[in-house]
Amino acid sequence: MALERLRDAAEIVSTVWQRALLDAVVSPRRFRQAAPDFWRASAMLFHPEISSLPLSQVPASEDHIQMLSSGWPLGGMPPQDLYALLRVVKWIKPRKIFEFGTFKGITTTHLALNSEAEVYTLDVPREMAANLSGYSPGDLELLQPREAIGETYRPFNKNGQIQQLFGDSRLFDYQPYLGFMDLVLVDGCHIYDGVLSDSQKAFDLLGKRGAVMWHDFANLRAVTRAVRTLGRKWPIYHIEGTFLALHVRGVSPGDEQRRNLQPPSEIPVGMSSGDDR
């Protein structure tokens, strides 16, 4: 089955790039405009060091997934990515969530609406941002003033479920949160070294069982490169049809358990390492 899927992916990628090369010859300008989309199509299907995971293999929950009618605004997740993220949330039932990258707080809102977790979300206000070398114009546009960060979640946060944290993720003091998180979402810095730095912190934040997820895999080159680098050391999956990558802690490396992504039976779902400290 895996060999068949690899052959299918290789055939599709080959077809995509044959068309791309034809466009490069016939219409170089059109090729330059379309090249990023050709790259994404290839990266979605072929990504060494990262395994593919159909969303159907993430255990389903009987709990209803709540999604707001937010569309796909600048800085937000496409609906299919948000749904896949929330399906993982419903599966692992986290008690504590840490999010790198708040922006307007749309994803943050959905994390809170679909769990009973304490949600900690970190972002750097524009006025605090420093060392911006390597940031693209799009990344600079995502830097918000302090009062704009998280504006979407505020009407939903009357009980204080969401705790906003401010600071540069490379310099932030994570000590109070280390080892206590059941889910960590890396969706902040889009620079290669920044993604690696946030990812290392994510692994440190994660408890004995749970998940680290990355957004913009197979969408942004630096994020994709960083996750592939991490995939040489950690088992990481690309959730098919999305820009999400997933690492699950507490899963046996055996093929059967890995395919089913079953958490170890001796650690109840929703329990973080902080419970036995």
Side-chain angles (χ1 to χ4, degrees), residues 116-236:
E116 297 180 358
E118 298 175 35
V119 181
Y120 302 88
T121 181
L122 173 66
D123 211 332
V124 57
R126 181 186 297 159
E127 54 270 26
M128 290 178 61
N131 188 19
L132 299 178
S133 60
Y135 274 61
S136 69
D139 289 332
L140 292 173
E141 190 177 350
L142 295 178
L143 290 172
Q144 301 290 293
R146 188 183 184 101
E147 63 272 13
I149 292 174
E151 63 184 11
T152 299
Y153 73 66
R154 289 183 194 134
F156 299 90
N157 196 34
K158 293 181 171 49
N159 63 356
Q161 181 183 5
I162 299 167
Q163 298 188 35
Q164 182 68 59
L165 307 173
F166 294 107
D168 187 324
S169 65
R170 295 165 293 187
L171 306 172
F172 187 76
D173 180 10
Y174 296 93
Q175 190 60 42
Y177 314 99
L178 296 178
F180 286 95
M181 300 298 137
D182 303 295
L183 175 66
V184 184
L185 175 61
V186 180
D187 191 18
C189 182
H190 296 142
I191 298 172
Y192 176 74
D193 290 340
V195 178
L196 288 182
S197 174
D198 289 351
S199 299
Q200 184 55 63
K201 299 298 192 306
F203 286 120
D204 294 340
L205 288 163
L206 194 61
K208 287 184 177 180
R209 53 89 56 211
V212 176
M213 300 186 74
W214 295 262
H215 189 235
D216 286 318
F217 177 80
N219 180 37
L220 300 179
R221 289 178 182 269
V223 177
T224 305
R225 178 183 165 214
V227 174
R228 286 180 56 186
T229 298
L230 294 165
R232 297 170 193 157
K233 181 178 180 181
W234 307 94
I236 297 176

Side-chain angles (χ1 to χ4, degrees), residues 89-130:
V89 169
K90 291 295 186 180
W91 166 45
I92 65 175
K93 294 180 171 58
R95 292 172 62 177
K96 295 180 184 292
I97 298 173
F98 197 101
E99 177 188 32
F100 287 85
T102 312
F103 195 54
K104 299 296 185 181
I106 294 175
T107 303
T108 319
T109 303
H110 284 87
L111 291 172
L113 286 175
N114 287 276
S115 74
E116 297 180 358
E118 298 175 35
V119 181
Y120 302 88
T121 181
L122 173 66
D123 211 332
V124 57
R126 181 186 297 159
E127 54 270 26
M128 290 178 61

Side-chain angles (χ1 to χ4, degrees), residues 251-259:
V251 176
S252 166
D255 287 343
E256 186 64 31
Q257 282 186 308
R258 188 167 56 202
R259 278 198 300 271

